[in-house]
Amino acid sequence: MEKSQSNFRKEINNSKFIPVNEPLLNGNEKKYLGICIDSGWISSEGSFVKEFENKFSQRVGRKFGIAVSSGTAALDTALAAIKLKKNDEVILPTFTIISCAASIVKTGATPVLVDCDPLTFNMDIEQVEGKITKRTKAIMIVHIYGLPVDVDPVLNLAKKYNLMIIEDAAEMHGQRYKGKECGSFGDISIFSFYPNKIITTGEGGMVLTDNEWLFEECKKIKNLYFDKERRYIHEDIGWNFRMSNIQAAVGLAQLEQIDRFILRKKRIGKLYTELLTGFENLQLPLDKTNYSENIYWVYPIVLKERLGFDAAEAMKRLLNENVGTRHFFWPMHLQPAFKKMGLFKNERYPVSEKISKYGFYIPSGLAITDDQIERVVRVIREELR
Ligand SMILES: Cc1ncc(COP(=O)(O)O)c(C=O)c1O
């Protein structure tokens, strides 16, 4: 017998399993989706898409927003728009998602890696200048897990060497660096709206810029490079990365709740820290740096090596106790896909290698309750010793 969606939902809610993420969809999502269905406007041409682009870009303080079908599509669009050439180089952290390095490789340019900081997990700024060559065209900053990159020193390098900044703020909705919104620092910046993000559209992403030429270019790239005047004529090759009106409807309803979501994320993070402080087997995330407070997009923990087992073993133990977790990123220089291309041969980045082996994150989605957090902590204290 087939289970109805609501029964399925109830079963999840009643079960003891605590998922690593569960989104909150209890604002105007249903209402706006109903408008899509009643009006028949479900494609990318519906009016919610423009409204979502306008409201989200305004919130981040950017002139232009281009909604696309994922954060990965946003990176591909951004990298295609800045017109890199073969042999150009882009510097980025090895500790990130593959979408970042892949977007560079897809243009024919070369990704050049730096290691990350052991406490914030963001790119090690000290290593960046040493990687700049005559071929370097851009630096890609990627804000990781809840604390932003220390942006100012990177902006200074970009100015000194005349480089572009690509900013991946996929995880960092509503976070600020020295009081200024993440997503406002790149010549071109991107966000993701995957369901584990602070606001979601199911699948989705956005490119943001203040540059009108880049804006026009991104619009063409995400829409098969259709000619403005004559449809079905294409001066270049693009993709279909369009966001649908259905996705934007959910996004708008989520955006209305973003401040509440950010407060809840911070509360989740602080509660975990409060309950785990003193448990010496774990490295807990920093609550703040001298430029930002943690927004706790997720709650990342790193096992101390003296425990004698790695993240995979710890995650198995927690799963046995009905606690979902997620691995840290696996560094770019260890990815089979890039090894096959001959990239990053013999390169070593010890901090990223260590945290990707011993780090993982624990349930921290917006729908988690304080009781569930307390249970996760009890299981951690019991199982990770
Ligand atoms: C830093 C970062 N960039 C890009 C992406 C890709 O976004 P998406 O999953 O929407 O393609 C993610 C996804 O989680 C991410 O964490």
Side-chain angles (χ1 to χ4, degrees):
M1 199 174 66
E2 223 175 47
K3 288 177 191 143
S4 76
Q5 272 289 77
S6 66
N7 275 346
F8 177 63
R9 194 84 185 165
K10 244 185 254 159
E11 213 168 90
I12 289 185
N13 289 342
N14 289 341
S15 83
K16 276 184 8 201
F17 183 70
I18 304 176
V20 71
N21 175 65
E22 199 183 340
L24 265 190
L25 299 160
N26 53 8
N28 282 323
E29 289 83 354
K30 256 192 197 163
K31 181 175 159 196
Y32 297 163
L33 285 171
I35 293 172
C36 293
I37 290 163
D38 292 343
S39 67
W41 282 107
I42 55 174
S43 77
S44 60
E45 300 200 20
S47 62
F48 284 138
V49 178
K50 194 93 241 107
E51 196 179 340
F52 184 48
E53 287 174 336
N54 289 342
K55 289 194 168 152
F56 190 78
S57 51
Q58 267 166 24
R59 164 139 195 146
V60 182
R62 303 305 302 252
K63 281 194 188 149
F64 306 108
I66 307 102
V68 291
S69 51
S70 69
T72 302
L75 280 165
D76 285 347
T77 302
L79 269 287
I82 65 172
K83 309 293 171 203
L84 295 171
K85 290 194 240 22
K86 197 168 164 32
N87 295 328
D88 285 349
E89 293 175 354
V90 179
I91 298 172
L92 79 162
T94 189
F95 188 72
T96 184
I97 193 161
I98 194 157
S99 314
C100 300
S103 68
I104 298 164
V105 168
K106 286 175 200 168
T107 68
T110 306
V112 174
L113 303 176
V114 295
D115 206 348
C116 70
D117 179 273
L119 299 178
T120 68
F121 314 130
N122 278 300
M123 70 197 297
D124 183 346
I125 303 304
E126 301 289 313
Q127 295 186 10
V128 175
E129 190 163 18
K131 293 285 176 117
I132 295 174
T133 70
K134 285 204 178 85
R135 302 198 304 194
T136 310
K137 288 289 171 330
I139 303 171
M140 183 186 284
I141 56 175
V142 188
H143 308 296
I144 304 275
Y145 293 163
L147 282 165
V149 173
D150 189 2
V151 180
D152 279 347
V154 187
L155 294 181
N156 289 339
L157 285 176
K159 209 162 157 195
K160 182 169 166 193
Y161 293 96
N162 194 25
L163 306 174
M164 288 190 91
I165 296 286
I166 304 150
E167 181 185 17
D168 181 342
E171 306 172 353
M172 222 52 60
H173 312 67
Q175 175 58 296
R176 294 198 175 102
Y177 171 80
K178 296 188 179 170
K180 197 164 175 267
E181 290 283 328
C182 288
S184 68
F185 295 102
D187 293 287
I188 196 157
S189 304
I190 72 100
F191 283 87
S192 161
F193 304 118
Y194 186 70
N196 65 357
K197 300 305 185 299
I198 291 180
I199 65 165
T200 183
T201 58
E203 298 283 352
M206 200 174 300
V207 184
L208 297 170
T209 183
D210 296 330
N211 179 310
E212 193 164 2
W213 188 88
L214 284 176
F215 171 56
E216 293 297 334
E217 192 62 18
C218 288
K219 279 198 293 185
K220 285 191 247 173
I221 290 167
K222 81 154 192 191
N223 190 22
L224 300 175
Y225 226 91
F226 272 119
D227 191 280
K228 252 189 178 167
E229 311 295 327
R230 173 62 171 92
R231 219 177 157 85
Y232 303 114
I233 294 182
H234 309 264
E235 232 177 81
D236 223 323
I237 302 290
W239 286 280
N240 176 355
F241 283 159
R242 300 183 298 255
M243 175 183 276
S244 76
N245 209 40
I246 295 172
Q247 292 165 302
V250 175
L252 264 183
Q254 291 267 295
L255 189 55
E256 291 168 356
Q257 306 166 78
I258 189 169
D259 292 321
R260 181 164 69 85
F261 288 170
I262 291 165
L263 283 177
R264 179 64 191 148
K265 279 284 184 188
K266 286 187 175 166
R267 170 73 192 142
I268 292 169
K270 284 178 193 295
L271 183 56
Y272 268 128
T273 297
E274 207 179 294
L275 298 173
L276 283 167
T277 296
F279 185 61
E280 298 297 332
N281 294 342
L282 303 178
Q283 174 192 316
L284 305 180
L286 295 180
D287 189 49
K288 52 165 106 79
T289 62
N290 56 8
Y291 51 76
S292 284
E293 278 186 28
N294 204 329
I295 202 170
Y296 297 104
W297 167 59
V298 291
Y299 196 85
I301 56 180
V302 183
L303 301 172
K304 300 257 176 81
E305 275 178 84
R306 65 183 163 92
L307 266 174
F309 54 86
D310 63 7
E313 168 63 22
M315 292 166 70
K316 206 160 67 186
R317 292 184 188 193
L318 298 193
L319 187 61
N320 277 339
E321 296 299 321
N322 284 314
V323 173
T325 54
R326 189 72 85 244
H327 273 293
F328 269 18
F329 294 127
W330 194 245
M332 293 305 103
H333 65 287
L334 302 180
Q335 293 291 344
F338 295 135
K339 279 193 182 158
K340 266 192 251 169
M341 294 175 186
L343 285 168
F344 317 132
K345 232 188 236 157
N346 303 325
E347 292 183 29
R348 301 304 301 266
Y349 300 96
V351 179
S352 300
E353 287 175 22
K354 182 178 161 223
I355 63 166
S356 57
K357 185 163 179 218
Y358 292 101
F360 60 100
Y361 55 90
I362 57 179
S364 34
L366 285 160
I368 197 168
T369 63
D370 287 2
D371 284 349
Q372 285 176 314
I373 290 172
E374 281 171 22
R375 184 154 80 77
V376 171
V377 170
R378 280 199 301 277
V379 170
I380 286 176
R381 283 180 172 274
E382 188 58 33
E383 296 298 320
L384 305 187
R385 57 195 176 104

